[in-house]
Amino acid sequence: MPSANRATRPAAGGLGASVAGGQGAFSTASLWRLKRISWVWLGTAAVCIALLAVGAPLNMTLYQMVLPFGLGMAILHAASLGLTAARPVAGMLVSLVPMVVMPLVSTPQGAAPMPFSVVAMVTQVLVICVAGLRSHWMVPAAGWLLSVGVGVMDNYLTMPHGQTQGAQINVVVFAAVSGGLMVASVVAQQWQHLRAELAAERTVSAEEQSLRRLAEERTRIARELHDVVAHGMSVVVVQATTAAYRHAGLNDELKQEFEDIADNSRRAMAEMRSMLGSLRDSGSGRETAPQPGFDDLPGLLASARTAGVQVREPELSGVDLDAVGEVIALTAYRIVQEALSNVVRHAPGADVEIGFSTAAGRLEVSVVNSPSAVGAVMAQLDRGSHVGQGLIGMRERATIVGGSVFCAPTPEGGFSVVASLPLISVAKGAAGGKRDGQAIA
């Protein structure tokens, strides 16, 4: 069971840890998200300021723009980059304005790049890339087509000395670089979306799988409880029906009362079977044997010993078995069975002590195993995609009857399972009748 500890920690401590530490985890995630967003906007602002600081002087010196146009177009173009990060469509449209206006108001000097400056082309490439990361692929594609179209139009219509080979090459290079980066940004955005959708789908699938397994475990428990209750009701029917023959001298009023009890019990059994019959697997046969209890513990312990587990005989002399209801006995048996199964699987060769005690109207069941030399190796070999439901089943069973189960590793390196179940008082006569009528179920 040491590696059952591995399965227990997420099951037992996971919910509590998430509840206890949920606020801290949520705050940390929120702060990290806020920091990440802050750094993104800070980086965008820094890039915009750098483009403005370089583009404005370049417009007024190398392209001979007057101050209002040189500074204004640089501000507008740099601001469009920040706007694209928040509003991709609006930012893309705004970025096209400087691309159209600047060639009309500039007079390039010497070998200045035409029809746009290097800063303007870099700014427009960044705008297209940001739009590709922030919006539908049609927005950056449309922006790229319009930007290239503006460059071609400037070559033929707006350049003061007509088109040149250098200007045409600049437009071709701009179209190639911006187009390639646009495709890369769109692919990156789609990849991020696919990753997010895949992570969400995995989360939903894991939750659905966990809920399905939990529902299957609850259904199995409900089937067993159905058998236990049906057995008890059968005993009531038999006792009420045979009372007039077993006790001579009953008056007609008492006979009628016993007949009413039998009729009501039969009606209750029919309704219960009608409601709970669907819980059985359609392909499995109906179980007619009585559900196990304390009398079946020796066979369970013998089976565990054959698997290599050293189990000491539990001390039952201090437990009033007649005070333990049949449902509680079944629940205790299943908890011990699952605990021993975990020992066989995860801690072969370990010593196990099983204890039963009654106090304050409750039945205490404990299963404690010692450390196993091969437990750690078994834990490593048993890694897989499956999620154990045994410990969850223990808690479900205990919860249904109003009890609880606590699972935790021991200081010595072993593992302990402690269950606290309420007692359902059963009279000794009824208990004897119940045992005598077990074959009826």
Side-chain angles (χ1 to χ4, degrees), residues 259-325:
E259 290 179 2
D260 293 340
I261 293 174
D263 291 340
N264 291 332
S265 299
R266 292 190 188 96
R267 187 181 303 109
M269 288 178 61
E271 293 177 353
M272 180 184 63
R273 284 168 177 163
S274 176
M275 290 186 297
L276 300 182
S278 61
L279 293 176
R280 296 187 177 276
D281 296 333
S282 58
S284 62
R286 182 176 180 83
E287 299 174 4
T288 57
Q291 293 296 332
F294 288 109
D295 294 339
D296 300 281
L297 282 176
L300 178 63
L301 301 184
S303 176
R305 293 189 187 101
T306 59
V309 177
Q310 305 299 321
V311 187
R312 299 181 179 88
E313 289 291 337
E315 180 62 40
L316 297 175
S317 59
V319 180
D320 186 6
L321 299 181
D322 292 334
V324 181

Side-chain angles (χ1 to χ4, degrees), residues 25-386:
F26 175 78
S27 300
T28 302
S30 300
L31 288 175
W32 173 250
R33 183 172 178 272
L34 290 175
K35 288 181 178 179
R36 185 176 61 181
I37 293 175
S38 300
W39 279 110
V40 169
W41 283 108
L42 182 60
T44 303
V47 172
C48 292
I49 293 173
L51 292 174
L52 175 61
V54 176
L58 195 64
N59 289 342
M60 291 182 290
T61 56
L62 195 58
Y63 290 87
Q64 296 295 307
M65 295 185 191
V66 296
L67 179 60
F69 284 107
L71 183 59
M73 292 299 101
I75 293 176
L76 187 62
H77 210 182
S80 67
L81 177 59
L83 181 60
T84 305
R87 297 289 185 271
V89 176
M92 182 61 67
L93 294 176
V94 171
S95 69
L96 295 174
V97 175
M99 299 287 287
V100 174
V101 174
M102 282 193 290
L104 299 176
V105 297
S106 64
T107 304
Q109 300 295 315
M114 297 180 293
F116 313 115
S117 66
V118 174
V119 176
M121 288 189 288
V122 170
T123 304
Q124 195 64 16
V125 168
L126 293 177
V127 168
I128 294 172
C129 290
V130 171
L133 294 173
R134 294 284 297 165
S135 63
H136 191 269
W137 65 269
M138 294 182 65
V139 175
W144 176 78
L145 288 174
L146 292 175
S147 300
V148 175
V150 169
V152 174
M153 180 187 67
D154 289 338
N155 264 281
Y156 286 94
L157 300 178
T158 62
M159 294 182 62
H161 304 294
Q163 60 177 328
T164 63
Q165 184 178 6
Q168 294 177 359
I169 293 175
N170 286 342
V171 173
V172 172
V173 171
F174 168 76
V177 173
S178 60
L181 293 178
M182 177 201 68
V183 173
S185 63
V186 171
V187 171
Q189 184 207 44
Q190 295 299 320
W191 180 62
Q192 290 291 340
H193 285 174
L194 290 177
R195 286 188 59 189
E197 291 177 1
L198 181 60
E201 185 65 26
R202 286 177 176 174
T203 302
V204 172
S205 299
E207 291 176 354
E208 291 179 350
Q209 186 178 18
S210 178
L211 291 175
R212 184 175 64 253
R213 288 178 175 174
L214 187 58
E216 292 173 354
E217 182 68 22
R218 287 180 175 177
T219 301
R220 189 167 68 90
I221 295 171
R223 288 199 303 265
E224 294 182 352
L225 293 181
H226 165 266
D227 295 339
V228 172
V229 176
H231 169 65
M233 295 297 292
S234 299
V235 174
V236 173
V237 171
V238 171
Q239 290 179 333
T241 303
T242 61
Y245 304 97
R246 292 184 290 106
H247 303 284
L250 293 178
N251 56 37
D252 294 339
E253 183 179 353
L254 287 178
K255 290 181 180 180
Q256 184 62 41
E257 184 173 349
F258 278 115
E259 290 179 2
D260 293 340
I261 293 174
D263 291 340
N264 291 332
S265 299
R266 292 190 188 96
R267 187 181 303 109
M269 288 178 61
E271 293 177 353
M272 180 184 63
R273 284 168 177 163
S274 176
M275 290 186 297
L276 300 182
S278 61
L279 293 176
R280 296 187 177 276
D281 296 333
S282 58
S284 62
R286 182 176 180 83
E287 299 174 4
T288 57
Q291 293 296 332
F294 288 109
D295 294 339
D296 300 281
L297 282 176
L300 178 63
L301 301 184
S303 176
R305 293 189 187 101
T306 59
V309 177
Q310 305 299 321
V311 187
R312 299 181 179 88
E313 289 291 337
E315 180 62 40
L316 297 175
S317 59
V319 180
D320 186 6
L321 299 181
D322 292 334
V324 181
E326 194 171 359
V327 174
I328 299 300
L330 170 62
T331 302
Y333 178 90
R334 293 302 188 195
I335 290 176
V336 174
Q337 183 183 42
E338 182 59 36
L340 289 177
S341 298
N342 285 340
V343 176
V344 172
R345 181 180 179 185
H346 302 296
D351 296 332
V352 181
E353 291 187 2
I354 302 176
F356 296 91
S357 63
T358 54
R362 300 186 73 84
L363 173 65
E364 302 290 335
V365 182
S366 65
V367 181
V368 182
N369 68 277
S370 64
S372 172
V374 296
V377 177
M378 296 294 293
Q380 295 295 326
L381 296 177
D382 191 44
R383 290 182 176 178
S385 59
H386 66 278

